[in-house]
mmCIF file of all heavy atoms in Angstrom:
data_model
loop_
_atom_site.group_PDB
_atom_site.id
_atom_site.type_symbol
_atom_site.label_atom_id
_atom_site.label_comp_id
_atom_site.label_asym_id
_atom_site.label_seq_id
_atom_site.Cartn_x
_atom_site.Cartn_y
_atom_site.Cartn_z
ATOM 1 N N ASP F 1 6.051 8.106 -14.559
ATOM 2 C CA ASP F 1 5.470 7.961 -15.893
ATOM 3 C C ASP F 1 5.413 6.516 -16.368
ATOM 4 O O ASP F 1 4.821 6.227 -17.407
ATOM 5 C CB ASP F 1 6.245 8.808 -16.905
ATOM 6 C CG ASP F 1 6.064 10.299 -16.674
ATOM 7 O OD1 ASP F 1 5.048 10.697 -16.064
ATOM 8 O OD2 ASP F 1 6.948 11.087 -17.086
ATOM 9 N N GLN F 2 6.021 5.600 -15.611
ATOM 10 C CA GLN F 2 5.949 4.178 -15.960
ATOM 11 C C GLN F 2 4.728 3.504 -15.334
ATOM 12 O O GLN F 2 4.454 2.331 -15.605
ATOM 13 C CB GLN F 2 7.219 3.462 -15.489
ATOM 14 C CG GLN F 2 8.507 3.992 -16.129
ATOM 15 C CD GLN F 2 9.738 3.278 -15.603
ATOM 16 O OE1 GLN F 2 9.684 2.129 -15.186
ATOM 17 N NE2 GLN F 2 10.864 3.989 -15.590
ATOM 18 N N VAL F 3 4.019 4.254 -14.502
ATOM 19 C CA VAL F 3 2.890 3.719 -13.748
ATOM 20 C C VAL F 3 1.613 4.412 -14.198
ATOM 21 O O VAL F 3 1.588 5.627 -14.413
ATOM 22 C CB VAL F 3 3.108 3.937 -12.230
ATOM 23 C CG1 VAL F 3 1.871 3.557 -11.438
ATOM 24 C CG2 VAL F 3 4.309 3.123 -11.749
ATOM 25 N N TRP F 4 0.538 3.634 -14.387
ATOM 26 C CA TRP F 4 -0.749 4.199 -14.758
ATOM 27 C C TRP F 4 -1.391 4.934 -13.580
ATOM 28 O O TRP F 4 -1.882 6.043 -13.720
ATOM 29 C CB TRP F 4 -1.674 3.083 -15.246
ATOM 30 C CG TRP F 4 -3.125 3.455 -15.348
ATOM 31 C CD1 TRP F 4 -4.083 3.307 -14.369
ATOM 32 C CD2 TRP F 4 -3.794 4.043 -16.457
ATOM 33 N NE1 TRP F 4 -5.299 3.756 -14.820
ATOM 34 C CE2 TRP F 4 -5.157 4.208 -16.096
ATOM 35 C CE3 TRP F 4 -3.393 4.424 -17.739
ATOM 36 C CZ2 TRP F 4 -6.101 4.739 -16.974
ATOM 37 C CZ3 TRP F 4 -4.342 4.964 -18.597
ATOM 38 C CH2 TRP F 4 -5.665 5.120 -18.209
ATOM 39 N N GLN F 5 -1.388 4.303 -12.426
ATOM 40 C CA GLN F 5 -2.041 4.872 -11.257
ATOM 41 C C GLN F 5 -1.373 4.336 -10.005
ATOM 42 O O GLN F 5 -0.971 3.177 -9.954
ATOM 43 C CB GLN F 5 -3.525 4.515 -11.251
ATOM 44 C CG GLN F 5 -4.349 5.187 -10.148
ATOM 45 C CD GLN F 5 -5.846 4.954 -10.344
ATOM 46 O OE1 GLN F 5 -6.290 4.636 -11.431
ATOM 47 N NE2 GLN F 5 -6.622 5.116 -9.290
ATOM 48 N N ALA F 6 -1.216 5.187 -9.013
ATOM 49 C CA ALA F 6 -0.578 4.776 -7.767
ATOM 50 C C ALA F 6 -1.210 5.519 -6.598
ATOM 51 O O ALA F 6 -1.742 6.620 -6.756
ATOM 52 C CB ALA F 6 0.931 5.047 -7.816
ATOM 53 N N GLY F 7 -1.140 4.912 -5.453
ATOM 54 C CA GLY F 7 -1.657 5.533 -4.250
ATOM 55 C C GLY F 7 -1.441 4.630 -3.055
ATOM 56 O O GLY F 7 -0.940 3.511 -3.170
ATOM 57 N N VAL F 8 -1.823 5.122 -1.914
ATOM 58 C CA VAL F 8 -1.678 4.387 -0.659
ATOM 59 C C VAL F 8 -3.064 4.093 -0.107
ATOM 60 O O VAL F 8 -3.967 4.930 -0.201
ATOM 61 C CB VAL F 8 -0.842 5.183 0.356
ATOM 62 C CG1 VAL F 8 -0.710 4.406 1.671
ATOM 63 C CG2 VAL F 8 0.545 5.482 -0.212
ATOM 64 N N ILE F 9 -3.230 2.917 0.451
ATOM 65 C CA ILE F 9 -4.490 2.492 1.063
ATOM 66 C C ILE F 9 -4.285 2.397 2.572
ATOM 67 O O ILE F 9 -3.330 1.766 3.028
ATOM 68 C CB ILE F 9 -4.948 1.124 0.530
ATOM 69 C CG1 ILE F 9 -4.832 1.045 -0.996
ATOM 70 C CG2 ILE F 9 -6.367 0.827 1.007
ATOM 71 C CD1 ILE F 9 -5.653 2.034 -1.748
ATOM 72 N N LEU F 10 -5.166 3.025 3.334
ATOM 73 C CA LEU F 10 -5.111 2.919 4.791
ATOM 74 C C LEU F 10 -5.989 1.758 5.219
ATOM 75 O O LEU F 10 -7.201 1.771 5.005
ATOM 76 C CB LEU F 10 -5.577 4.215 5.450
ATOM 77 C CG LEU F 10 -5.492 4.258 6.975
ATOM 78 C CD1 LEU F 10 -4.048 4.130 7.447
ATOM 79 C CD2 LEU F 10 -6.098 5.559 7.513
ATOM 80 N N LEU F 11 -5.370 0.748 5.804
ATOM 81 C CA LEU F 11 -6.080 -0.478 6.147
ATOM 82 C C LEU F 11 -6.771 -0.366 7.504
ATOM 83 O O LEU F 11 -6.287 0.341 8.397
ATOM 84 C CB LEU F 11 -5.110 -1.656 6.148
ATOM 85 C CG LEU F 11 -4.310 -1.865 4.856
ATOM 86 C CD1 LEU F 11 -3.407 -3.085 4.971
ATOM 87 C CD2 LEU F 11 -5.234 -2.005 3.662
ATOM 88 N N PRO F 12 -7.865 -1.072 7.690
ATOM 89 C CA PRO F 12 -8.619 -0.999 8.952
ATOM 90 C C PRO F 12 -8.073 -1.957 10.014
ATOM 91 O O PRO F 12 -8.830 -2.597 10.727
ATOM 92 C CB PRO F 12 -10.030 -1.396 8.529
ATOM 93 C CG PRO F 12 -9.803 -2.373 7.422
ATOM 94 C CD PRO F 12 -8.556 -1.906 6.683
ATOM 95 N N VAL F 13 -6.771 -2.074 10.080
ATOM 96 C CA VAL F 13 -6.134 -2.964 11.045
ATOM 97 C C VAL F 13 -4.973 -2.238 11.711
ATOM 98 O O VAL F 13 -4.421 -1.286 11.166
ATOM 99 C CB VAL F 13 -5.606 -4.259 10.377
ATOM 100 C CG1 VAL F 13 -6.746 -5.069 9.798
ATOM 101 C CG2 VAL F 13 -4.568 -3.939 9.297
ATOM 102 N N GLN F 14 -4.639 -2.688 12.854
ATOM 103 C CA GLN F 14 -3.450 -2.224 13.554
ATOM 104 C C GLN F 14 -2.570 -3.425 13.849
ATOM 105 O O GLN F 14 -3.042 -4.551 13.987
ATOM 106 C CB GLN F 14 -3.830 -1.490 14.839
ATOM 107 C CG GLN F 14 -4.512 -0.144 14.607
ATOM 108 C CD GLN F 14 -4.894 0.544 15.883
ATOM 109 O OE1 GLN F 14 -5.933 0.245 16.469
ATOM 110 N NE2 GLN F 14 -4.065 1.463 16.326
ATOM 111 N N SER F 15 -1.287 -3.175 13.928
ATOM 112 C CA SER F 15 -0.356 -4.262 14.163
ATOM 113 C C SER F 15 0.706 -3.829 15.163
ATOM 114 O O SER F 15 0.954 -2.645 15.372
ATOM 115 C CB SER F 15 0.301 -4.706 12.847
ATOM 116 O OG SER F 15 1.128 -3.682 12.320
ATOM 117 N N VAL F 16 1.350 -4.822 15.769
ATOM 118 C CA VAL F 16 2.413 -4.564 16.738
ATOM 119 C C VAL F 16 3.707 -4.243 16.001
ATOM 120 O O VAL F 16 4.055 -4.884 15.008
ATOM 121 C CB VAL F 16 2.614 -5.784 17.655
ATOM 122 C CG1 VAL F 16 3.819 -5.574 18.577
ATOM 123 C CG2 VAL F 16 1.362 -6.036 18.489
ATOM 124 N N GLY F 17 4.399 -3.240 16.470
ATOM 125 C CA GLY F 17 5.696 -2.869 15.921
ATOM 126 C C GLY F 17 6.644 -2.453 17.029
ATOM 127 O O GLY F 17 6.295 -2.490 18.224
ATOM 128 N N VAL F 18 7.842 -2.049 16.632
ATOM 129 C CA VAL F 18 8.856 -1.605 17.575
ATOM 130 C C VAL F 18 9.380 -0.250 17.131
ATOM 131 O O VAL F 18 9.756 -0.056 15.978
ATOM 132 C CB VAL F 18 10.021 -2.612 17.675
ATOM 133 C CG1 VAL F 18 11.087 -2.080 18.643
ATOM 134 C CG2 VAL F 18 9.531 -3.977 18.134
ATOM 135 N N MET F 19 9.393 0.697 18.031
ATOM 136 C CA MET F 19 9.955 2.010 17.778
ATOM 137 C C MET F 19 10.865 2.355 18.946
ATOM 138 O O MET F 19 10.400 2.593 20.065
ATOM 139 C CB MET F 19 8.846 3.059 17.618
ATOM 140 C CG MET F 19 9.363 4.437 17.201
ATOM 141 S SD MET F 19 10.075 4.460 15.540
ATOM 142 C CE MET F 19 8.626 4.170 14.524
ATOM 143 N N GLY F 20 12.191 2.349 18.678
ATOM 144 C CA GLY F 20 13.140 2.547 19.758
ATOM 145 C C GLY F 20 13.115 1.356 20.701
ATOM 146 O O GLY F 20 13.254 0.208 20.293
ATOM 147 N N ASP F 21 12.901 1.624 21.965
ATOM 148 C CA ASP F 21 12.824 0.560 22.968
ATOM 149 C C ASP F 21 11.390 0.190 23.316
ATOM 150 O O ASP F 21 11.147 -0.566 24.259
ATOM 151 C CB ASP F 21 13.559 0.987 24.249
ATOM 152 C CG ASP F 21 15.054 1.178 24.023
ATOM 153 O OD1 ASP F 21 15.610 0.449 23.180
ATOM 154 O OD2 ASP F 21 15.643 2.057 24.686
ATOM 155 N N GLU F 22 10.440 0.735 22.565
ATOM 156 C CA GLU F 22 9.045 0.523 22.910
ATOM 157 C C GLU F 22 8.289 -0.216 21.811
ATOM 158 O O GLU F 22 8.601 -0.113 20.636
ATOM 159 C CB GLU F 22 8.347 1.867 23.171
ATOM 160 C CG GLU F 22 8.916 2.646 24.346
ATOM 161 C CD GLU F 22 8.175 3.947 24.593
ATOM 162 O OE1 GLU F 22 7.248 4.240 23.804
ATOM 163 O OE2 GLU F 22 8.520 4.649 25.567
ATOM 164 N N ARG F 23 7.323 -1.012 22.242
ATOM 165 C CA ARG F 23 6.408 -1.643 21.303
ATOM 166 C C ARG F 23 5.316 -0.646 20.908
ATOM 167 O O ARG F 23 4.887 0.172 21.721
ATOM 168 C CB ARG F 23 5.778 -2.892 21.931
ATOM 169 C CG ARG F 23 6.758 -4.034 22.074
ATOM 170 C CD ARG F 23 6.217 -5.121 23.005
ATOM 171 N NE ARG F 23 5.020 -5.770 22.491
ATOM 172 C CZ ARG F 23 5.009 -6.813 21.667
ATOM 173 N NH1 ARG F 23 6.157 -7.326 21.242
ATOM 174 N NH2 ARG F 23 3.871 -7.357 21.268
ATOM 175 N N THR F 24 4.899 -0.720 19.656
ATOM 176 C CA THR F 24 3.851 0.162 19.168
ATOM 177 C C THR F 24 2.672 -0.672 18.682
ATOM 178 O O THR F 24 2.806 -1.861 18.390
ATOM 179 C CB THR F 24 4.350 1.033 17.999
ATOM 180 O OG1 THR F 24 4.750 0.192 16.904
ATOM 181 C CG2 THR F 24 5.536 1.885 18.437
ATOM 182 N N TYR F 25 1.550 -0.061 18.624
ATOM 183 C CA TYR F 25 0.347 -0.695 18.096
ATOM 184 C C TYR F 25 -0.323 0.320 17.198
ATOM 185 O O TYR F 25 -1.165 1.113 17.639
ATOM 186 C CB TYR F 25 -0.564 -1.152 19.228
ATOM 187 C CG TYR F 25 -1.710 -2.035 18.778
ATOM 188 C CD1 TYR F 25 -1.459 -3.279 18.199
ATOM 189 C CD2 TYR F 25 -3.029 -1.640 18.931
ATOM 190 C CE1 TYR F 25 -2.500 -4.104 17.789
ATOM 191 C CE2 TYR F 25 -4.078 -2.458 18.542
ATOM 192 C CZ TYR F 25 -3.797 -3.686 17.957
ATOM 193 O OH TYR F 25 -4.833 -4.506 17.552
ATOM 194 N N GLU F 26 0.094 0.324 15.909
ATOM 195 C CA GLU F 26 -0.320 1.375 15.000
ATOM 196 C C GLU F 26 -0.818 0.783 13.683
ATOM 197 O O GLU F 26 -0.930 -0.424 13.528
ATOM 198 C CB GLU F 26 0.844 2.348 14.776
ATOM 199 C CG GLU F 26 1.234 3.090 16.054
ATOM 200 C CD GLU F 26 2.381 4.053 15.851
ATOM 201 O OE1 GLU F 26 3.275 3.743 15.031
ATOM 202 O OE2 GLU F 26 2.407 5.109 16.507
ATOM 203 N N ARG F 27 -1.079 1.647 12.724
ATOM 204 C CA ARG F 27 -1.777 1.260 11.508
ATOM 205 C C ARG F 27 -0.853 0.701 10.435
ATOM 206 O O ARG F 27 0.338 0.994 10.388
ATOM 207 C CB ARG F 27 -2.553 2.451 10.946
ATOM 208 C CG ARG F 27 -3.622 2.941 11.924
ATOM 209 C CD ARG F 27 -4.585 3.898 11.291
ATOM 210 N NE ARG F 27 -5.646 4.222 12.221
ATOM 211 C CZ ARG F 27 -6.724 3.474 12.414
ATOM 212 N NH1 ARG F 27 -6.900 2.372 11.709
ATOM 213 N NH2 ARG F 27 -7.654 3.836 13.283
ATOM 214 N N ALA F 28 -1.469 -0.083 9.579
ATOM 215 C CA ALA F 28 -0.788 -0.614 8.399
ATOM 216 C C ALA F 28 -1.337 0.070 7.154
ATOM 217 O O ALA F 28 -2.523 0.395 7.081
ATOM 218 C CB ALA F 28 -0.989 -2.127 8.296
ATOM 219 N N VAL F 29 -0.459 0.304 6.184
ATOM 220 C CA VAL F 29 -0.878 0.853 4.897
ATOM 221 C C VAL F 29 -0.412 -0.082 3.787
ATOM 222 O O VAL F 29 0.534 -0.852 3.947
ATOM 223 C CB VAL F 29 -0.327 2.279 4.656
ATOM 224 C CG1 VAL F 29 -0.829 3.244 5.713
ATOM 225 C CG2 VAL F 29 1.195 2.272 4.589
ATOM 226 N N ALA F 30 -1.102 -0.018 2.657
ATOM 227 C CA ALA F 30 -0.725 -0.791 1.480
ATOM 228 C C ALA F 30 -0.392 0.170 0.345
ATOM 229 O O ALA F 30 -1.152 1.110 0.069
ATOM 230 C CB ALA F 30 -1.854 -1.730 1.060
ATOM 231 N N LEU F 31 0.733 -0.044 -0.309
ATOM 232 C CA LEU F 31 1.076 0.703 -1.505
ATOM 233 C C LEU F 31 0.437 0.008 -2.708
ATOM 234 O O LEU F 31 0.450 -1.210 -2.824
ATOM 235 C CB LEU F 31 2.591 0.771 -1.700
ATOM 236 C CG LEU F 31 3.438 1.240 -0.517
ATOM 237 C CD1 LEU F 31 4.911 1.282 -0.908
ATOM 238 C CD2 LEU F 31 2.979 2.594 -0.016
ATOM 239 N N ARG F 32 -0.144 0.798 -3.608
ATOM 240 C CA ARG F 32 -0.783 0.254 -4.800
ATOM 241 C C ARG F 32 -0.277 1.001 -6.024
ATOM 242 O O ARG F 32 -0.349 2.232 -6.087
ATOM 243 C CB ARG F 32 -2.303 0.405 -4.701
ATOM 244 C CG ARG F 32 -3.104 -0.141 -5.882
ATOM 245 C CD ARG F 32 -3.019 -1.629 -5.988
ATOM 246 N NE ARG F 32 -4.151 -2.206 -6.748
ATOM 247 C CZ ARG F 32 -4.037 -3.293 -7.489
ATOM 248 N NH1 ARG F 32 -2.862 -3.916 -7.581
ATOM 249 N NH2 ARG F 32 -5.106 -3.779 -8.120
ATOM 250 N N ALA F 33 0.292 0.279 -6.986
ATOM 251 C CA ALA F 33 0.737 0.870 -8.245
ATOM 252 C C ALA F 33 0.441 -0.129 -9.352
ATOM 253 O O ALA F 33 0.774 -1.309 -9.241
ATOM 254 C CB ALA F 33 2.228 1.205 -8.210
ATOM 255 N N VAL F 34 -0.198 0.338 -10.441
ATOM 256 C CA VAL F 34 -0.577 -0.552 -11.528
ATOM 257 C C VAL F 34 -0.175 0.032 -12.872
ATOM 258 O O VAL F 34 -0.015 1.244 -13.037
ATOM 259 C CB VAL F 34 -2.097 -0.825 -11.536
ATOM 260 C CG1 VAL F 34 -2.534 -1.494 -10.237
ATOM 261 C CG2 VAL F 34 -2.889 0.458 -11.781
ATOM 262 N N THR F 35 -0.027 -0.856 -13.838
ATOM 263 C CA THR F 35 0.132 -0.469 -15.230
ATOM 264 C C THR F 35 -1.156 -0.814 -15.965
ATOM 265 O O THR F 35 -1.802 -1.813 -15.676
ATOM 266 C CB THR F 35 1.316 -1.195 -15.881
ATOM 267 O OG1 THR F 35 1.136 -2.617 -15.764
ATOM 268 C CG2 THR F 35 2.620 -0.812 -15.174
ATOM 269 N N SER F 36 -1.545 0.033 -16.918
ATOM 270 C CA SER F 36 -2.794 -0.172 -17.629
ATOM 271 C C SER F 36 -2.836 0.725 -18.854
ATOM 272 O O SER F 36 -2.001 1.627 -19.022
ATOM 273 C CB SER F 36 -3.996 0.126 -16.718
ATOM 274 O OG SER F 36 -5.224 -0.111 -17.393
ATOM 275 N N THR F 37 -3.822 0.486 -19.715
ATOM 276 C CA THR F 37 -4.077 1.354 -20.856
ATOM 277 C C THR F 37 -5.300 2.215 -20.636
ATOM 278 O O THR F 37 -5.304 3.406 -20.926
ATOM 279 C CB THR F 37 -4.278 0.529 -22.140
ATOM 280 O OG1 THR F 37 -3.103 -0.252 -22.394
ATOM 281 C CG2 THR F 37 -4.537 1.431 -23.345
ATOM 282 N N ASP F 38 -6.369 1.613 -20.101
ATOM 283 C CA ASP F 38 -7.613 2.351 -19.935
ATOM 284 C C ASP F 38 -8.336 2.029 -18.632
ATOM 285 O O ASP F 38 -9.492 2.394 -18.453
ATOM 286 C CB ASP F 38 -8.556 2.075 -21.109
ATOM 287 C CG ASP F 38 -8.806 0.585 -21.317
ATOM 288 O OD1 ASP F 38 -8.641 -0.194 -20.366
ATOM 289 O OD2 ASP F 38 -9.154 0.198 -22.440
ATOM 290 N N ALA F 39 -7.670 1.332 -17.713
ATOM 291 C CA ALA F 39 -8.210 0.979 -16.400
ATOM 292 C C ALA F 39 -9.250 -0.128 -16.449
ATOM 293 O O ALA F 39 -9.757 -0.543 -15.410
ATOM 294 C CB ALA F 39 -8.778 2.190 -15.661
ATOM 295 N N MET F 40 -9.604 -0.612 -17.636
ATOM 296 C CA MET F 40 -10.532 -1.723 -17.712
ATOM 297 C C MET F 40 -9.869 -3.006 -17.226
ATOM 298 O O MET F 40 -10.509 -3.867 -16.633
ATOM 299 C CB MET F 40 -11.051 -1.893 -19.139
ATOM 300 C CG MET F 40 -11.746 -0.649 -19.697
ATOM 301 S SD MET F 40 -13.127 -0.078 -18.693
ATOM 302 C CE MET F 40 -14.287 -1.413 -18.938
ATOM 303 N N THR F 41 -8.572 -3.133 -17.510
ATOM 304 C CA THR F 41 -7.731 -4.179 -16.947
ATOM 305 C C THR F 41 -6.454 -3.519 -16.455
ATOM 306 O O THR F 41 -6.086 -2.434 -16.911
ATOM 307 C CB THR F 41 -7.387 -5.275 -17.981
ATOM 308 O OG1 THR F 41 -6.658 -4.673 -19.077
ATOM 309 C CG2 THR F 41 -8.657 -5.927 -18.517
ATOM 310 N N ALA F 42 -5.766 -4.166 -15.533
ATOM 311 C CA ALA F 42 -4.539 -3.586 -14.990
ATOM 312 C C ALA F 42 -3.672 -4.683 -14.398
ATOM 313 O O ALA F 42 -4.175 -5.697 -13.907
ATOM 314 C CB ALA F 42 -4.850 -2.531 -13.926
ATOM 315 N N ASP F 43 -2.358 -4.470 -14.434
ATOM 316 C CA ASP F 43 -1.410 -5.377 -13.808
ATOM 317 C C ASP F 43 -0.631 -4.608 -12.747
ATOM 318 O O ASP F 43 -0.426 -3.399 -12.877
ATOM 319 C CB ASP F 43 -0.444 -5.953 -14.844
ATOM 320 C CG ASP F 43 0.363 -7.127 -14.297
ATOM 321 O OD1 ASP F 43 -0.034 -7.689 -13.252
ATOM 322 O OD2 ASP F 43 1.391 -7.481 -14.902
ATOM 323 N N TRP F 44 -0.220 -5.274 -11.702
ATOM 324 C CA TRP F 44 0.560 -4.590 -10.670
ATOM 325 C C TRP F 44 1.922 -4.200 -11.208
ATOM 326 O O TRP F 44 2.542 -4.920 -11.981
ATOM 327 C CB TRP F 44 0.679 -5.440 -9.414
ATOM 328 C CG TRP F 44 1.402 -6.753 -9.566
ATOM 329 C CD1 TRP F 44 0.874 -7.928 -10.030
ATOM 330 C CD2 TRP F 44 2.767 -7.029 -9.233
ATOM 331 N NE1 TRP F 44 1.828 -8.914 -10.014
ATOM 332 C CE2 TRP F 44 3.004 -8.399 -9.519
ATOM 333 C CE3 TRP F 44 3.814 -6.273 -8.718
ATOM 334 C CZ2 TRP F 44 4.236 -9.007 -9.308
ATOM 335 C CZ3 TRP F 44 5.051 -6.870 -8.508
ATOM 336 C CH2 TRP F 44 5.251 -8.218 -8.811
ATOM 337 N N ALA F 45 2.370 -3.023 -10.850
ATOM 338 C CA ALA F 45 3.639 -2.485 -11.342
ATOM 339 C C ALA F 45 4.808 -3.147 -10.634
ATOM 340 O O ALA F 45 4.852 -3.210 -9.405
ATOM 341 C CB ALA F 45 3.687 -0.975 -11.142
ATOM 342 N N HIS F 46 5.780 -3.638 -11.393
ATOM 343 C CA HIS F 46 6.939 -4.319 -10.833
ATOM 344 C C HIS F 46 8.002 -3.290 -10.456
ATOM 345 O O HIS F 46 9.023 -3.132 -11.122
ATOM 346 C CB HIS F 46 7.470 -5.343 -11.835
ATOM 347 C CG HIS F 46 6.521 -6.466 -12.104
ATOM 348 N ND1 HIS F 46 6.879 -7.794 -12.129
ATOM 349 C CD2 HIS F 46 5.186 -6.481 -12.349
ATOM 350 C CE1 HIS F 46 5.823 -8.554 -12.385
ATOM 351 N NE2 HIS F 46 4.787 -7.771 -12.535
#
């Protein structure tokens, strides 16, 4: 209830990571959360 709108963005990139003893090449996501009154302007939620 402290956030106006939130969601996850699936990015069109893949990056190298580590899972266990293996390297991975999988997707990155971005978290998005903003505060606003009417969506005409918005600030990122701290």
Side-chain angles (χ1 to χ4, degrees):
D1 292 337
Q2 299 178 28
V3 173
W4 166 268
Q5 186 171 340
V8 179
I9 314 299
L10 183 63
L11 305 181
V13 297
Q14 291 179 278
S15 66
V16 174
V18 178
M19 186 66 68
D21 296 328
E22 297 182 358
R23 289 166 64 87
T24 61
Y25 190 63
E26 295 180 326
R27 298 193 174 277
V29 299
L31 309 182
R32 181 67 158 148
V34 299
T35 57
S36 182
T37 301
D38 55 23
M40 302 303 292
T41 61
D43 193 17
W44 63 278
H46 295 226

